[in-house]
Each structure stands twice: as C-alpha cells, then as structure tokens.
Amino acid sequence: MNRKTIVFYGGGNMASAIISKMVTSDWSGEDIHVIDRNTEKLERFSKQFGVQVHDKPGSWMAQIDSVVLAVKPQQLPDAIASAKEWMDEALIISIAAGVRIEDLRAMLGQNRICRAMPNTPMKIGKGVCGLYATAEADEDHLFIVKVFAACGDLIWCDKEEMLEGVTAVSGSGPAYVFRFIEALENAGIRYGFNEVQARRLAIATVLGSAELARQSDEPPAELRAKVTSKGGTTYEALKVMQERGFMEMMQDAMDACRRRSAELGEAFHENLESKKD
Ligand SMILES: NC(=O)C1=CN([C@@H]2O[C@H](COP(=O)(O)OP(=O)(O)OC[C@H]3O[C@@H](n4cnc5c(N)ncnc54)[C@H](OP(=O)(O)O)[C@@H]3O)[C@@H](O)[C@H]2O)C=CC1
Ligand SMILES: O=C(O)[C@@H]1CCC=N1
C-alpha cells in the first residue's frame, strides 16, 4: 500500500491509545495528523509520537486520505461542520459511541464511512475493536486494518447494529473486568494481604486465566470445571455466585449498556433531525 495520510480529529484518550500503537507499526509520525483545541495535549502528541499537530482543521487537509472522528458524540456536529469542506474525498472512520452511519452521512454529505468501537487495552496492543463499513468503503478495508492492526484483535460486524453489542461486551468491557479485579483485591486485603500483594494476586489471576483461556482448546466452561473439585472450595464460591444470579446480573448489565448505546444514537439522531426544521 502507498503511503497514506490520516487525521485524528480529537486528541483525547482514544486517539492517544490508537496512535501510540500506530507509530510502533509501519506508520510514520509524518503521515499522522492530530487536531485538538488544547495546546498542552498537542504538545504531548508531538513530543511523544512525532506526529503533526494542528489547533483546527484547514486547507492543510486538502490531500488527506482519511479522518478518524475521535471527539465525544455531542462534539461531533461542530467538529464535522468545521472540517466538512476538506473531507469530501476522505475515508471517514468514526469511533463515537452510538452515532449511526445514516447521521454521519447526513452531516458529512458523503458515504465512505467506517464505524469502529475500540477499547482502552488497545493502548498496550491488547485491545479488540469492532468494525463496520459502508459498501462505498469496500476498497478501504486493508487501510482500516492497517490503522488498528497494532492495537489488538479486529472483528468485522455483518450489520451496523452489532456494534452496540461490541460496545456492551468489549467497548465498556474493560470497566467490568477492572471492577472484578477491585473485588478480588478487596477480598485479598480483608484476608490480611497488603494492597500491593492483594493487587498482585488479583491481577495475576485475571491475566493468567485470560491467557489460559486464549491458549487452550477447551472452552471457558471446561476450564472452570477443571478448577472446581467435587466437594471442594471453588464449588462453594460458584454456588454463591449462582444463588446471587451472577450470569443473569452480567447479562442485565450488558443489556443496559447496549440499550444506552442505542439510546445515545437515537437521541443524537433526533437532535440532528430537529435542527433540520
Ligand atoms: N473511552 C473509551 O473507553 C472509549 C471511547 N470511545 C469513543 O471515543 C470517542 C473519544 O473519546 P475520548 O478519547 O475518551 O474523548 P476525549 O474527550 O478524551 O477526547 C476528545 C478530544 O477532542 C477535543 N475536541 C472536541 N471537539 C473539538 C473541536 N471542535 N476542535 C478541537 N478539539 C476538539 C476535546 O477537547 P475538550 O476536552 O476541550 O472538549 C478532547 O481533547 C468518543 O466518541 C467515545 O464515545 C469508543 C470506545 C471506547
Ligand atoms: O462509556 C462510554 O460511553 C464509552 C463507550 C465505550 C466505552 N466508553
């Protein structure tokens, strides 16, 4: 693939996570641009990653190949309006949670669009990102993979709605896992370990179990059964989890997350429609 240029509109947490891995792969900082209104953030991007920084869009974007929309959903309309004239020919990648392609298309006036739902472990190359692109972006799949490849695993969705499921499982998922780690750590402290020791026990347990699940041919349910001796300790713990409805609670939590993602998308859509009148 020829050298291509990419702009991140919004230099926040996610842009930083993605760019930090791009520059360790076959991307050169010279081909990556970041727009943000905060001077300090721009200085950090320039120093840490050697990328090109700008406090606003402008004619310098005329030859750009792609734009990643990496602002908060509510900031998208203003951001797009300010750069629209330079994005006609570009592939647009939006990471904004919930914002639908029909609304991106309405704001952009073009349809070469990909929606992506990344997660924060991408920062260390261990993330997972759901992707869905329009038919007009069919020839851009290789480029899209090149943007995110160093960040972790990539999963293409057959339908756009599946991205709400990605948000519920893996986009917001790191927060559930951190909560679980907090629970293990708190228990460790209650059982007499200091904070450092308790955190080590908790993190090593989650990390080791995830890595075992990844490397094993057996499904997680089999691996769980192998820890659970008949009449033993694990059985007692899992029994409490079952009595308290752990699986149902997790399902309800993810349903709520998915519903919120759809609600945010719907609210964004209604807001956009109301401005047309
Ligand atoms: N955090 C997560 O785990 C995930 C987030 N996402 C999505 O990623 C997107 C970005 O999130 P995140 O990185 O956390 O957001 P941040 O708020 O950290 O980053 C957005 C940046 O863009 C700047 N900005 C906004 N509008 C403009 C503008 N018009 N001109 C110049 N700069 C602007 C903001 O400045 P200022 O602060 O001054 O407003 C801020 O620095 C969101 O849409 C979110 O839904 C997706 C998956 C996971
Ligand atoms: O909480 C949020 O809205 C964002 C989207 C996925 C993870 N964080």
Side-chain angles (χ1 to χ4, degrees):
M1 198 186 297
N2 295 333
R3 267 177 77 169
K4 297 218 169 171
T5 46
I6 190 165
V7 179
F8 281 77
Y9 201 140
N13 298 315
M14 288 314 292
S16 165
I18 298 164
I19 292 172
S20 69
K21 295 316 290 180
M22 286 174 80
V23 294
T24 66
S25 64
D26 43 1
W27 281 91
S28 155
E30 275 175 39
D31 300 326
I32 302 173
H33 298 252
V34 176
I35 305 170
D36 201 286
R37 55 186 164 215
N38 303 280
T39 320
E40 279 169 24
K41 282 187 189 171
L42 290 180
E43 276 171 11
R44 220 174 308 138
F45 270 97
S46 169
K47 241 192 219 154
Q48 269 187 336
F49 307 127
V51 299
Q52 317 296 307
V53 295
H54 313 263
D55 61 359
K56 52 180 172 305
S59 54
W60 59 267
M61 287 175 72
Q63 303 300 319
I64 234 72
D65 292 299
S66 176
V67 179
V68 179
L69 299 170
V71 296
K72 298 275 190 219
Q74 62 273 22
Q75 298 170 327
L76 256 188
D78 285 349
I80 290 179
S82 69
K84 189 168 179 284
E85 62 186 293
W86 297 291
M87 299 196 291
D88 284 352
E89 305 290 320
L91 165 72
I92 306 297
I93 302 174
S94 168
I95 63 167
V99 180
R100 306 197 294 242
I101 282 179
E102 62 169 313
D103 293 325
L104 291 165
R105 183 192 301 137
M107 290 185 287
L108 290 159
Q110 62 116 314
N111 204 23
R112 210 171 131 218
I113 302 170
C114 172
R115 270 184 70 187
M117 176 45 62
N119 67 0
T120 54
M122 289 179 100
K123 193 175 181 162
I124 55 160
K126 304 267 183 195
V128 58
C129 182
L131 296 166
Y132 178 82
T134 58
E136 287 81 351
D138 265 356
E139 290 179 10
D140 296 306
H141 284 212
L142 259 184
F143 177 84
I144 295 163
V145 167
K146 193 180 161 208
V147 172
F148 294 108
C151 296
D153 203 359
L154 305 179
I155 308 234
W156 286 94
C157 299
D158 295 335
K159 295 185 203 141
E160 185 182 359
E161 307 87 85
M162 289 166 76
L163 282 172
E164 318 315 343
V166 174
T167 307
V169 176
S170 59
S172 297
Y176 323 149
V177 176
F178 295 133
R179 199 76 176 119
F180 188 72
I181 292 174
E182 286 175 68
L184 294 179
E185 183 183 323
N186 288 346
I189 291 168
R190 277 220 320 278
Y191 302 146
F193 295 96
N194 65 37
E195 265 179 42
V196 174
Q197 292 169 322
R199 189 164 301 172
R200 276 171 56 202
L201 284 172
I203 293 176
T205 303
V206 172
L207 203 58
S209 308
E211 190 54 30
L212 178 60
R214 193 179 71 84
Q215 288 187 28
S216 176
D217 293 333
E218 294 172 307
E222 283 294 325
L223 297 172
R224 169 170 54 84
K226 287 199 164 144
V227 189
T228 315
S229 316
K230 237 190 178 149
T233 60
T234 314
Y235 179 81
E236 288 302 311
L238 290 176
K239 199 165 80 181
V240 174
M241 285 183 162
Q242 190 175 344
E243 283 163 6
R244 299 274 183 97
F246 179 76
M247 292 300 273
E248 294 80 359
M249 182 268 291
M250 285 304 296
Q251 187 62 62
D252 287 351
M254 287 183 272
D255 286 352
C257 182
R258 182 164 167 268
R259 208 165 37 242
R260 182 66 185 147
S261 178
E263 268 169 21
L264 288 173
E266 187 55 31
F268 188 94
H269 177 73
E270 280 169 15
N271 191 31
L272 212 58
E273 287 291 302
S274 72
K275 286 190 180 136
K276 278 190 196 160
D277 305 332

